[in-house]
Amino acid sequence: MKKPTLLFFSTLLLSNLLVPLVAATEHTNQAVVSELQNNALKSDLAYKIAESLTVEVGPRLAGSAENALAVDWAEAKLKSLGFDKVYREPVIVPVWQRGEANASVIAPFPQKLVISALGGSVATPPAGLQAKVVRFDTLAALIAADTAQVKDKIVFIDQKTERHQDGSGYGKSVGGRVNGAVEAARKGAVAVLIRSIGTDHDRLAHTGLMHYQEDVPRIPAAALTNPDANQLDAMLRRGQEVTLSLKMSPKSLGNTTTYNVIGEFTGSSKPDEIVLLGAHLDSWDEGTGAIDDAAGVAIVTAAAKMIGELPQRPARTIRVVLFAAEEIGLLGGKAYVAQHANEMAKHYIAAESDFGAGRIYRADVRVNETALSAVWQHLSGLAALNVAQGNNGARGGSEVSLLPTEGVPVASLRQDGSDYFDYHHTPNDTLDKIDPAALAQNVAVYTTFAYQMAQSTLQLRPLPQAQQ
Amino acid sequence: MKKPTLLFFSTLLLSNLLVPLVAATEHTNQAVVSELQNNALKSDLAYKIAESLTVEVGPRLAGSAENALAVDWAEAKLKSLGFDKVYREPVIVPVWQRGEANASVIAPFPQKLVISALGGSVATPPAGLQAKVVRFDTLAALIAADTAQVKDKIVFIDQKTERHQDGSGYGKSVGGRVNGAVEAARKGAVAVLIRSIGTDHDRLAHTGLMHYQEDVPRIPAAALTNPDANQLDAMLRRGQEVTLSLKMSPKSLGNTTTYNVIGEFTGSSKPDEIVLLGAHLDSWDEGTGAIDDAAGVAIVTAAAKMIGELPQRPARTIRVVLFAAEEIGLLGGKAYVAQHANEMAKHYIAAESDFGAGRIYRADVRVNETALSAVWQHLSGLAALNVAQGNNGARGGSEVSLLPTEGVPVASLRQDGSDYFDYHHTPNDTLDKIDPAALAQNVAVYTTFAYQMAQSTLQLRPLPQAQQ
């Protein structure tokens, strides 16, 4: 992916040299965008929405009773904001409850370790288990190891997560969380502990989804906090065998039904064509899901509301989709794609906000190459918000990443995620981690994007192939 | 207390104008100090000591089995470092075990809250308790409140702790922790929850000692994390009554004996006179006690060791005292004063390191006014370490603060505590919070102080009255 280097200002200057005079409607649209941006930057609507969801609902793991409250909250909130249509669509989800998770060093230096069960993990035997630890730098090192090294041990995958603005450190380390249990169990391990997939130094472990595989024994899986991983590593570096006890009581309790919650402001002249703004309503269960993803819920809801309040509606419908069960495998997104299969051709473009509440610094899109320069012209107003023009390789993020394979154009409005993985999937994901001014900048960007896309006369399809 | 404004450089210049030529021995001492500082800044000895204590012992609450391991560790460590004398002295301490502490909002917005029992708290009934919450801005507001407001409620003291380099925010807010239970119980409250006495935004509560009073019912007392206090406050601001459930199972289990651990490098010409360097060996039980106070243990131990390794010992004995049971009421310090009553006159000066691992930025002392300018001259080498000259109102800190009333001169070598109360008394007090370079600067300062004081020919007594 090429690095963004130019702000939209330069694109705009270039465009003025190369293309015919901007049409009168574009001038009008840019004037509306200016007003939307000004309103968004002054408004605390998004912050109030995020506050409401995190305080009045709080943690809302897909399939939990709290998540059902979140669905009710979302319907009521969208209705109270005056969306033209508000409805829910069912999503079948597995129910998993965290229970307790305790780990202790038995020898050589007895002390407790702080862990958190990974999402979907099985329990230990009720009395717990004890085993020696074998450490690996990475998942790859575990995969390359001899079975004899691993058999009957607790595997410790000790990979650190790098801090980057675009969050790219996560992709490098998250494999241990997702696949560590399977790879460890293949070699006869009794449990797996990973160093948290997080960039912080707090005694708060990062949970997140893990997978089992049909033909491989299911072993308990948990994350150590970064300081606890340091501690375990320091013990192992002394050259002594380290024995841990582990006791975890998560439960899987079959399936239940939850819901995607959808709200629309109907388009004025092309009401069947959709600009989709997504976020996810569910959260992990230990924080209040502020940056993941009350922020996204707040950003897209507030942006749609501000467009819906304009004296004149844009041509296309603005559809806000608050997806269910993102954290446990994009289940709401998959249900949406299935339930809206016949409508996919009517999705003009889609974007999702699911990377915290940091300022947006770059816009990527994925549209037909012939439309690209005109799309950048539509989005030239983003320069005023310090958003750089990116590339045409957007994947769309989270649920919306499922849409390009359905032919739907997407955008990735990239947020500064430098501190996102300090808090992601931990008890520390709380409202105080949201900067109201940065949140408002996000809303301003989404209003710009959504309004221009709802007004555009460009043909954005068919999509180019994804960049690798 | 007057603000420090001058570095030692300026004092030194002034001294050169006002006092006779510096004696040859002072030149020699300053040369030794330079060498000590250079060695200290290059050495990782202190960091290794802190690492050893936090990894090999970890949490070590006074009276616990882990604390007994810490005493053994300390004796072995001082012996292995070649101290001339190493011994332990008994300290009777109460045994308190934390147990579990769970809090939940029952209504109007059901969700868990993160709390930590305050040290010494009683348990709730085994089934827990439920009550409505009444919030106060401060302990003073609680004291001023009507009994009718408080009776049968859970009192929530919601005072924030200010961040200051010298840690002075702590003194302003800690009263709620120490006396909140007594004041709430006087008015019929069933429990007290305080906003953590901490400057962070983490979901980790700050424990610490609290007191009961004989004639007042003992009610459970716990700290909410800052984000949880925000959450509870946000619920209350909605104008609805908030009901909490609280379940805590700490236990008090009588008394046991632990130990002050003492190590000495014997003075060459005045071996019965003592320069005392203190720190405390115990810690709270949820972190590994890195900044509180493995750092102090490491700083004073390493400083003494470096002086002990000099080709020629200084005149006085350097005595390192690793105090027991600081956290639960300076019990080791009180025992030391009692056990060494006959020796108090032989304590030339004392200092304690118990404020984390931040760089020392100022030196305060408490000595006879007639000796003050000469003391500053002794300590002029601290300017090279960016330590400013402070005032003559030092209290000495922690256990050493007990010594001025015994007539013992003291110094307070003040550390930058800007982030100290982010981690203090939380699970987050772990080794990664220590900056090795800052720790080495501390050792350099302590070597300078201890060596010069062990060589000085000044009469430091009698002490001036404490400044208020």
Side-chain angles (χ1 to χ4, degrees):
Chain A
M1 209 178 274
K2 80 171 185 182
K3 283 201 172 182
T5 50
L6 301 170
L7 283 182
F8 277 105
F9 285 121
S10 52
T11 311
L12 190 58
L13 291 170
L14 197 66
S15 303
N16 286 340
L17 297 173
L18 297 178
V19 301
L21 276 178
V22 173
T25 54
E26 181 68 14
H27 278 306
T28 308
N29 289 346
Q30 297 287 3
V32 173
V33 159
S34 277
E35 190 193 335
L36 283 168
Q37 290 185 359
N38 287 338
N39 291 343
L41 293 175
K42 282 184 297 194
S43 170
D44 64 355
L45 175 60
Y47 190 79
K48 282 185 170 163
I49 293 169
E51 202 260 3
S52 174
L53 178 54
T54 56
V55 171
E56 295 164 20
V57 180
R60 49 196 181 279
L61 182 63
S64 68
E66 295 78 13
N67 186 63
L69 294 176
V71 169
D72 293 342
W73 173 93
E75 266 199 1
K77 184 61 71 182
L78 296 178
K79 283 178 181 167
S80 76
L81 290 170
F83 278 69
D84 296 328
K85 290 185 194 164
V86 178
Y87 51 103
R88 55 171 75 183
E89 295 180 341
V91 182
I92 308 296
V93 297
V95 178
W96 179 83
Q97 290 178 353
R98 173 170 302 283
E100 302 289 321
N102 296 295
S104 293
V105 179
I106 300 298
F109 308 119
Q111 55 194 275
K112 288 184 185 174
L113 298 174
V114 177
I115 63 168
S116 185
L118 296 183
S121 174
V122 297
T124 61
L129 59 83
Q130 287 195 12
K132 293 193 172 68
V133 176
V134 57
R135 177 192 172 283
F136 296 99
D137 284 336
T138 60
L139 177 65
L142 165 63
I143 292 170
D146 285 345
T147 296
Q149 266 185 281
V150 174
K151 191 165 159 37
D152 300 329
K153 301 267 177 65
I154 295 172
V155 162
F156 168 36
I157 303 175
D158 192 21
Q159 185 169 10
K160 290 182 179 163
T161 298
E162 300 165 8
R163 186 186 298 278
H164 295 292
Q165 185 184 39
D166 66 358
S168 56
Y170 185 67
K172 295 184 193 174
S173 60
V174 74
R177 189 190 82 203
V178 177
N179 299 314
V182 166
E183 297 303 337
R186 274 191 212 288
K187 297 180 197 288
V190 296
V192 64
L193 292 176
I194 63 164
R195 177 186 283 270
S196 277
I197 311 303
T199 46
D200 58 290
H201 298 279
D202 292 319
R203 255 4 237 295
L204 295 164
H206 295 243
T207 190
L209 195 61
M210 50 82 63
H211 288 302
Y212 292 118
Q213 202 167 297
E214 286 243 326
D215 54 341
V216 180
R218 295 175 174 227
I219 60 173
L224 289 157
T225 78
N226 271 309
D228 287 271
N230 294 346
Q231 188 82 339
L232 185 52
D233 180 46
M235 291 180 188
L236 290 163
R237 281 178 192 278
R238 281 160 165 75
Q240 300 179 52
E241 287 194 323
V242 175
T243 302
L244 299 187
S245 74
L246 192 64
K247 193 169 170 182
M248 293 165 52
S249 58
K251 285 181 189 162
S252 288
L253 297 168
N255 290 335
T256 189
T257 300
T258 184
Y259 301 90
N260 292 327
V261 178
I262 301 174
E264 297 180 0
F265 285 104
T266 309
S268 57
S269 59
K270 298 170 183 170
D272 59 332
E273 295 189 19
I274 298 152
V275 173
L276 187 154
L277 304 183
H280 68 85
L281 188 56
D282 66 309
S283 76
W284 279 105
D285 55 330
E286 296 195 298
T288 62
I291 62 167
D292 190 14
D293 185 27
V297 167
I299 290 162
V300 300
T301 300
K305 161 73 173 169
M306 287 179 191
I307 293 170
E309 276 179 338
L310 289 171
Q312 188 155 5
R313 286 283 168 78
R316 295 189 181 82
T317 291
I318 307 287
R319 176 182 289 176
V320 167
V321 185
L322 305 181
F323 290 102
E326 189 273 345
E327 297 294 1
I328 59 173
L330 300 179
L331 301 186
K334 290 170 186 169
Y336 180 87
V337 170
Q339 289 161 9
H340 293 262
N342 293 336
E343 201 188 32
M344 279 295 138
K346 294 291 188 181
H347 283 67
Y348 185 70
I349 195 166
E352 178 154 351
S353 176
D354 181 23
F355 196 53
R359 285 173 192 271
I360 294 172
Y361 65 95
R362 192 178 98 191
D364 294 342
V365 295
R366 184 125 148 259
V367 298
N368 192 279
E369 287 286 349
T370 60
L372 185 60
S373 71
V375 166
W376 292 138
Q377 200 174 339
H378 282 334
L379 300 182
S380 59
L382 294 181
L385 300 168
N386 292 317
V387 179
Q389 176 184 313
N391 60 40
N392 197 28
R395 293 170 184 277
S398 301
E399 285 85 357
V400 163
S401 70
L402 303 171
L403 298 183
T405 54
E406 309 297 323
V408 179
V410 296
S412 292
L413 304 172
R414 295 189 176 278
Q415 294 168 288
D416 186 332
S418 299
D419 67 356
Y420 185 64
F421 292 108
D422 288 347
Y423 309 121
H424 180 249
H425 294 187
T426 74
N428 237 352
D429 180 2
T430 47
L431 185 67
D432 51 291
K433 310 310 182 302
I434 294 180
D435 170 7
L439 196 71
Q441 186 258 10
N442 274 264
V443 177
V445 171
Y446 270 85
T447 57
T448 304
F449 166 77
Y451 182 78
Q452 285 286 13
M453 292 297 110
Q455 287 286 72
S456 173
T457 55
L458 298 170
Q459 173 54 262
L460 303 184
R461 300 186 183 213
L463 296 188
Q465 290 305 301
Q467 294 179 13
Q468 291 309 315
Chain B
M1 208 177 275
K2 80 170 187 184
K3 283 201 171 180
T5 49
L6 301 169
L7 283 182
F8 277 105
F9 284 121
S10 53
T11 311
L12 190 57
L13 290 170
L14 196 67
S15 303
N16 286 340
L17 297 173
L18 296 179
V19 302
L21 276 178
V22 173
T25 54
E26 181 68 13
H27 279 306
T28 308
N29 289 347
Q30 297 288 3
V32 173
V33 160
S34 277
E35 190 192 336
L36 283 168
Q37 290 186 359
N38 287 338
N39 290 344
L41 293 175
K42 282 183 298 194
S43 170
D44 65 355
L45 175 61
Y47 190 78
K48 281 184 171 164
I49 293 169
E51 202 259 4
S52 174
L53 178 54
T54 56
V55 171
E56 295 164 21
V57 179
R60 48 196 181 279
L61 182 63
S64 67
E66 295 78 13
N67 186 64
L69 293 176
V71 169
D72 293 342
W73 173 92
E75 266 199 1
K77 183 63 70 182
L78 296 178
K79 284 178 181 166
S80 76
L81 290 170
F83 278 69
D84 296 328
K85 290 185 195 164
V86 178
Y87 51 103
R88 55 171 74 183
E89 295 180 341
V91 182
I92 308 297
V93 296
V95 178
W96 179 82
Q97 290 178 353
R98 173 170 302 283
E100 302 289 320
N102 296 295
S104 293
V105 179
I106 300 298
F109 308 119
Q111 55 193 274
K112 288 184 185 173
L113 297 174
V114 177
I115 63 169
S116 185
L118 297 183
S121 174
V122 297
T124 61
L129 58 84
Q130 287 195 12
K132 293 192 172 68
V133 176
V134 57
R135 177 191 172 282
F136 296 98
D137 284 337
T138 60
L139 177 65
L142 165 63
I143 292 170
D146 285 344
T147 296
Q149 266 184 282
V150 174
K151 191 165 159 36
D152 300 329
K153 301 267 177 66
I154 295 172
V155 162
F156 168 36
I157 303 175
D158 192 20
Q159 185 168 11
K160 290 182 179 164
T161 298
E162 299 165 9
R163 185 186 299 277
H164 295 292
Q165 185 183 38
D166 66 358
S168 55
Y170 185 68
K172 296 184 192 174
S173 60
V174 75
R177 189 190 82 203
V178 176
N179 298 314
V182 166
E183 297 303 336
R186 274 191 211 287
K187 297 180 197 287
V190 296
V192 63
L193 292 176
I194 63 164
R195 178 185 282 271
S196 277
I197 311 303
T199 46
D200 58 291
H201 298 278
D202 292 319
R203 261 350 246 296
L204 295 164
H206 295 243
T207 191
L209 194 62
M210 50 82 63
H211 288 302
Y212 292 118
Q213 202 167 295
E214 285 243 326
D215 54 341
V216 180
R218 296 177 173 226
I219 60 173
L224 289 157
T225 78
N226 271 309
D228 287 272
N230 294 346
Q231 188 83 340
L232 184 52
D233 180 46
M235 291 180 189
L236 290 162
R237 281 178 192 278
R238 281 161 166 75
Q240 299 179 53
E241 287 193 322
V242 175
T243 303
L244 299 187
S245 74
L246 192 64
K247 194 170 170 182
M248 293 165 52
S249 58
K251 285 181 189 162
S252 287
L253 298 168
N255 290 334
T256 189
T257 301
T258 183
Y259 300 90
N260 292 327
V261 178
I262 301 174
E264 297 179 0
F265 285 105
T266 309
S268 57
S269 58
K270 299 170 183 169
D272 59 333
E273 295 190 19
I274 297 153
V275 173
L276 187 153
L277 305 183
H280 68 85
L281 187 56
D282 66 311
S283 76
W284 280 104
D285 54 330
E286 297 195 298
T288 62
I291 62 167
D292 189 14
D293 186 26
V297 167
I299 290 162
V300 300
T301 301
K305 161 72 173 170
M306 287 179 191
I307 293 170
E309 276 180 337
L310 289 170
Q312 187 154 4
R313 285 283 168 79
R316 295 190 181 82
T317 289
I318 308 286
R319 176 182 289 177
V320 167
V321 185
L322 306 181
F323 290 102
E326 188 274 344
E327 296 295 1
I328 59 173
L330 300 179
L331 302 185
K334 291 169 186 170
Y336 180 87
V337 170
Q339 289 161 9
H340 294 262
N342 293 337
E343 200 188 32
M344 279 295 138
K346 294 291 188 182
H347 283 67
Y348 184 70
I349 195 166
E352 177 153 353
S353 176
D354 181 23
F355 196 53
R359 285 173 192 271
I360 294 172
Y361 65 95
R362 191 178 99 191
D364 293 343
V365 295
R366 184 124 149 259
V367 298
N368 192 280
E369 287 286 349
T370 60
L372 185 60
S373 71
V375 166
W376 293 139
Q377 200 174 339
H378 282 334
L379 300 182
S380 60
L382 294 181
L385 300 168
N386 292 317
V387 179
Q389 175 185 313
N391 60 41
N392 197 28
R395 293 170 185 277
S398 300
E399 285 84 357
V400 163
S401 70
L402 303 171
L403 298 183
T405 54
E406 309 297 323
V408 179
V410 296
S412 291
L413 304 172
R414 295 189 176 277
Q415 294 169 287
D416 186 332
S418 299
D419 67 356
Y420 185 64
F421 292 108
D422 288 347
Y423 309 121
H424 179 250
H425 295 188
T426 74
N428 237 352
D429 180 2
T430 47
L431 185 66
D432 50 291
K433 310 310 182 301
I434 295 179
D435 170 7
L439 196 71
Q441 187 259 10
N442 275 266
V443 178
V445 171
Y446 270 85
T447 57
T448 304
F449 166 77
Y451 182 78
Q452 285 286 14
M453 292 298 110
Q455 288 284 73
S456 173
T457 55
L458 298 171
Q459 172 55 262
L460 303 184
R461 301 185 183 214
L463 296 189
Q465 289 305 301
Q467 294 179 13
Q468 291 309 314

